[in-house]
Amino acid sequence: LSVALSGAVLSRCPACARNFANLYCNNICSPDQSLFTNVTRVVNYTTTQGTTKLAVVEYQCFYQRDFAD
C-alpha cells in the first residue's frame, strides 16, 4: 500500500516511481539489511492478541555511492 501511494504522488515521473519502489523494497525485504541499516528508535506496542512487541519507527540507511547513483 505504501508503494502504491508513493506511485500516485510520483506518477509524473515513472522512473522516479520505480526507483522509489526499488529502494523501498530493498530497505524492507533485503536479507542483508543488517549490512546497511541501523535501527535508531523502537517503541512497544500491544497486538490485538494482547502481546507486547517492539516496532521499529526510525532507522538510518547507509548505501554505497554506486547503489545511490
Side-chain angles (χ1 to χ4, degrees):
L1 182 61
S2 297
V3 175
L5 289 174
S6 67
V9 172
L10 298 170
S11 63
R12 292 184 183 182
C13 178
C16 293
R18 281 191 306 274
N19 287 339
F20 182 82
N22 182 42
L23 184 61
Y24 178 82
C25 292
N26 191 60
N27 285 346
I28 303 304
C29 302
S30 174
D32 299 320
Q33 282 180 340
S34 65
L35 301 176
F36 60 85
T37 304
N38 179 36
V39 174
T40 57
R41 187 170 158 223
V42 295
V43 295
N44 288 317
Y45 77 97
T46 304
T47 67
T48 54
Q49 293 81 21
T51 308
T52 301
K53 293 191 174 190
L54 290 176
V56 174
V57 293
E58 185 176 286
Y59 63 93
Q60 297 172 315
C61 285
F62 303 94
Y63 301 113
Q64 293 179 354
R65 180 167 299 279
D66 61 332
F67 179 80
D69 289 342

mmCIF file of all heavy atoms in Angstrom, residues 8-30:
data_model
loop_
_atom_site.group_PDB
_atom_site.id
_atom_site.type_symbol
_atom_site.label_atom_id
_atom_site.label_comp_id
_atom_site.label_asym_id
_atom_site.label_seq_id
_atom_site.Cartn_x
_atom_site.Cartn_y
_atom_site.Cartn_z
ATOM 1 N N ALA A 8 1.363 7.070 -6.794
ATOM 2 C CA ALA A 8 0.389 8.092 -7.166
ATOM 3 C C ALA A 8 1.006 9.482 -7.084
ATOM 4 O O ALA A 8 0.782 10.323 -7.952
ATOM 5 C CB ALA A 8 -0.839 7.996 -6.273
ATOM 6 N N VAL A 9 1.805 9.722 -6.075
ATOM 7 C CA VAL A 9 2.459 11.018 -5.901
ATOM 8 C C VAL A 9 3.527 11.225 -6.972
ATOM 9 O O VAL A 9 3.705 12.323 -7.482
ATOM 10 C CB VAL A 9 3.082 11.131 -4.489
ATOM 11 C CG1 VAL A 9 3.930 12.382 -4.361
ATOM 12 C CG2 VAL A 9 1.995 11.108 -3.431
ATOM 13 N N LEU A 10 4.239 10.149 -7.319
ATOM 14 C CA LEU A 10 5.339 10.248 -8.278
ATOM 15 C C LEU A 10 4.920 9.907 -9.707
ATOM 16 O O LEU A 10 5.765 9.667 -10.566
ATOM 17 C CB LEU A 10 6.481 9.316 -7.846
ATOM 18 C CG LEU A 10 7.111 9.626 -6.494
ATOM 19 C CD1 LEU A 10 8.047 8.505 -6.063
ATOM 20 C CD2 LEU A 10 7.857 10.947 -6.551
ATOM 21 N N SER A 11 3.640 9.916 -9.996
ATOM 22 C CA SER A 11 3.152 9.469 -11.297
ATOM 23 C C SER A 11 3.643 10.320 -12.466
ATOM 24 O O SER A 11 3.670 9.847 -13.597
ATOM 25 C CB SER A 11 1.625 9.420 -11.306
ATOM 26 O OG SER A 11 1.094 10.716 -11.119
ATOM 27 N N ARG A 12 4.043 11.528 -12.219
ATOM 28 C CA ARG A 12 4.570 12.371 -13.298
ATOM 29 C C ARG A 12 5.912 11.880 -13.800
ATOM 30 O O ARG A 12 6.341 12.247 -14.882
ATOM 31 C CB ARG A 12 4.713 13.812 -12.832
ATOM 32 C CG ARG A 12 3.407 14.495 -12.585
ATOM 33 C CD ARG A 12 3.644 15.928 -12.231
ATOM 34 N NE ARG A 12 2.372 16.576 -11.933
ATOM 35 C CZ ARG A 12 2.262 17.841 -11.624
ATOM 36 N NH1 ARG A 12 3.340 18.596 -11.565
ATOM 37 N NH2 ARG A 12 1.082 18.356 -11.372
ATOM 38 N N CYS A 13 6.576 11.091 -12.980
ATOM 39 C CA CYS A 13 7.905 10.592 -13.351
ATOM 40 C C CYS A 13 7.944 9.087 -13.092
ATOM 41 O O CYS A 13 8.297 8.656 -11.996
ATOM 42 C CB CYS A 13 8.977 11.304 -12.539
ATOM 43 S SG CYS A 13 10.649 10.720 -12.888
ATOM 44 N N PRO A 14 7.599 8.271 -14.080
ATOM 45 C CA PRO A 14 7.592 6.816 -13.888
ATOM 46 C C PRO A 14 8.935 6.252 -13.418
ATOM 47 O O PRO A 14 8.975 5.353 -12.597
ATOM 48 C CB PRO A 14 7.208 6.265 -15.264
ATOM 49 C CG PRO A 14 6.481 7.380 -15.925
ATOM 50 C CD PRO A 14 7.114 8.646 -15.405
ATOM 51 N N ALA A 15 10.034 6.814 -13.909
ATOM 52 C CA ALA A 15 11.354 6.340 -13.483
ATOM 53 C C ALA A 15 11.568 6.621 -11.999
ATOM 54 O O ALA A 15 12.105 5.781 -11.271
ATOM 55 C CB ALA A 15 12.456 6.995 -14.312
ATOM 56 N N CYS A 16 11.115 7.785 -11.534
ATOM 57 C CA CYS A 16 11.229 8.130 -10.112
ATOM 58 C C CYS A 16 10.394 7.163 -9.267
ATOM 59 O O CYS A 16 10.842 6.723 -8.209
ATOM 60 C CB CYS A 16 10.776 9.555 -9.860
ATOM 61 S SG CYS A 16 11.840 10.803 -10.610
ATOM 62 N N ALA A 17 9.197 6.862 -9.730
ATOM 63 C CA ALA A 17 8.318 5.944 -9.005
ATOM 64 C C ALA A 17 8.950 4.563 -8.910
ATOM 65 O O ALA A 17 8.938 3.935 -7.849
ATOM 66 C CB ALA A 17 6.951 5.867 -9.682
ATOM 67 N N ARG A 18 9.520 4.073 -10.017
ATOM 68 C CA ARG A 18 10.185 2.756 -9.998
ATOM 69 C C ARG A 18 11.397 2.761 -9.081
ATOM 70 O O ARG A 18 11.622 1.821 -8.320
ATOM 71 C CB ARG A 18 10.599 2.344 -11.411
ATOM 72 C CG ARG A 18 9.473 1.792 -12.241
ATOM 73 C CD ARG A 18 9.981 1.162 -13.531
ATOM 74 N NE ARG A 18 10.816 2.075 -14.314
ATOM 75 C CZ ARG A 18 10.357 2.959 -15.190
ATOM 76 N NH1 ARG A 18 9.059 3.054 -15.410
ATOM 77 N NH2 ARG A 18 11.184 3.741 -15.849
ATOM 78 N N ASN A 19 12.201 3.832 -9.143
ATOM 79 C CA ASN A 19 13.382 3.923 -8.280
ATOM 80 C C ASN A 19 12.983 3.955 -6.805
ATOM 81 O O ASN A 19 13.617 3.315 -5.973
ATOM 82 C CB ASN A 19 14.207 5.153 -8.628
ATOM 83 C CG ASN A 19 14.950 4.999 -9.928
ATOM 84 O OD1 ASN A 19 15.179 3.884 -10.409
ATOM 85 N ND2 ASN A 19 15.328 6.115 -10.521
ATOM 86 N N PHE A 20 11.940 4.721 -6.488
ATOM 87 C CA PHE A 20 11.470 4.781 -5.104
ATOM 88 C C PHE A 20 10.982 3.413 -4.642
ATOM 89 O O PHE A 20 11.309 2.961 -3.545
ATOM 90 C CB PHE A 20 10.360 5.822 -4.947
ATOM 91 C CG PHE A 20 9.881 5.938 -3.535
ATOM 92 C CD1 PHE A 20 10.566 6.714 -2.620
ATOM 93 C CD2 PHE A 20 8.761 5.239 -3.115
ATOM 94 C CE1 PHE A 20 10.132 6.794 -1.300
ATOM 95 C CE2 PHE A 20 8.324 5.318 -1.804
ATOM 96 C CZ PHE A 20 9.015 6.106 -0.893
ATOM 97 N N ALA A 21 10.202 2.730 -5.477
ATOM 98 C CA ALA A 21 9.698 1.402 -5.123
ATOM 99 C C ALA A 21 10.846 0.423 -4.926
ATOM 100 O O ALA A 21 10.838 -0.373 -3.985
ATOM 101 C CB ALA A 21 8.737 0.895 -6.195
ATOM 102 N N ASN A 22 11.850 0.484 -5.788
ATOM 103 C CA ASN A 22 13.014 -0.391 -5.665
ATOM 104 C C ASN A 22 13.750 -0.130 -4.347
ATOM 105 O O ASN A 22 14.126 -1.062 -3.630
ATOM 106 C CB ASN A 22 13.955 -0.196 -6.852
ATOM 107 C CG ASN A 22 15.150 -1.110 -6.791
ATOM 108 O OD1 ASN A 22 15.040 -2.289 -6.460
ATOM 109 N ND2 ASN A 22 16.310 -0.573 -7.105
ATOM 110 N N LEU A 23 13.946 1.132 -4.025
ATOM 111 C CA LEU A 23 14.625 1.493 -2.782
ATOM 112 C C LEU A 23 13.812 1.036 -1.572
ATOM 113 O O LEU A 23 14.355 0.454 -0.624
ATOM 114 C CB LEU A 23 14.845 3.006 -2.732
ATOM 115 C CG LEU A 23 15.628 3.549 -1.553
ATOM 116 C CD1 LEU A 23 17.020 2.966 -1.525
ATOM 117 C CD2 LEU A 23 15.682 5.055 -1.630
ATOM 118 N N TYR A 24 12.511 1.270 -1.601
ATOM 119 C CA TYR A 24 11.635 0.862 -0.504
ATOM 120 C C TYR A 24 11.699 -0.655 -0.306
ATOM 121 O O TYR A 24 11.887 -1.137 0.809
ATOM 122 C CB TYR A 24 10.206 1.307 -0.793
ATOM 123 C CG TYR A 24 9.221 0.900 0.265
ATOM 124 C CD1 TYR A 24 9.083 1.648 1.427
ATOM 125 C CD2 TYR A 24 8.438 -0.245 0.127
ATOM 126 C CE1 TYR A 24 8.182 1.273 2.413
ATOM 127 C CE2 TYR A 24 7.541 -0.631 1.102
ATOM 128 C CZ TYR A 24 7.414 0.130 2.238
ATOM 129 O OH TYR A 24 6.541 -0.246 3.213
ATOM 130 N N CYS A 25 11.559 -1.393 -1.393
ATOM 131 C CA CYS A 25 11.588 -2.860 -1.297
ATOM 132 C C CYS A 25 12.942 -3.356 -0.803
ATOM 133 O O CYS A 25 13.021 -4.301 -0.018
ATOM 134 C CB CYS A 25 11.237 -3.489 -2.633
ATOM 135 S SG CYS A 25 9.514 -3.216 -3.104
ATOM 136 N N ASN A 26 14.011 -2.720 -1.263
ATOM 137 C CA ASN A 26 15.348 -3.104 -0.802
ATOM 138 C C ASN A 26 15.479 -2.867 0.696
ATOM 139 O O ASN A 26 16.029 -3.699 1.420
ATOM 140 C CB ASN A 26 16.414 -2.321 -1.569
ATOM 141 C CG ASN A 26 17.799 -2.868 -1.327
ATOM 142 O OD1 ASN A 26 18.075 -4.032 -1.614
ATOM 143 N ND2 ASN A 26 18.670 -2.045 -0.803
ATOM 144 N N ASN A 27 14.976 -1.739 1.173
ATOM 145 C CA ASN A 27 15.051 -1.441 2.607
ATOM 146 C C ASN A 27 14.259 -2.441 3.438
ATOM 147 O O ASN A 27 14.684 -2.848 4.510
ATOM 148 C CB ASN A 27 14.509 -0.046 2.902
ATOM 149 C CG ASN A 27 15.450 1.041 2.503
ATOM 150 O OD1 ASN A 27 16.608 0.814 2.229
ATOM 151 N ND2 ASN A 27 14.938 2.248 2.426
ATOM 152 N N ILE A 28 13.084 -2.825 2.966
ATOM 153 C CA ILE A 28 12.177 -3.657 3.744
ATOM 154 C C ILE A 28 12.467 -5.151 3.607
ATOM 155 O O ILE A 28 12.359 -5.896 4.571
ATOM 156 C CB ILE A 28 10.711 -3.363 3.334
ATOM 157 C CG1 ILE A 28 10.390 -1.884 3.515
ATOM 158 C CG2 ILE A 28 9.730 -4.230 4.110
ATOM 159 C CD1 ILE A 28 10.629 -1.336 4.905
ATOM 160 N N CYS A 29 12.842 -5.601 2.410
ATOM 161 C CA CYS A 29 12.900 -7.042 2.132
ATOM 162 C C CYS A 29 14.292 -7.634 2.001
ATOM 163 O O CYS A 29 14.416 -8.855 1.897
ATOM 164 C CB CYS A 29 12.136 -7.344 0.847
ATOM 165 S SG CYS A 29 10.413 -6.824 0.913
ATOM 166 N N SER A 30 15.320 -6.822 1.979
ATOM 167 C CA SER A 30 16.667 -7.351 1.744
ATOM 168 C C SER A 30 17.113 -8.289 2.862
ATOM 169 O O SER A 30 16.999 -7.959 4.047
ATOM 170 C CB SER A 30 17.682 -6.212 1.637
ATOM 171 O OG SER A 30 18.995 -6.742 1.560
#
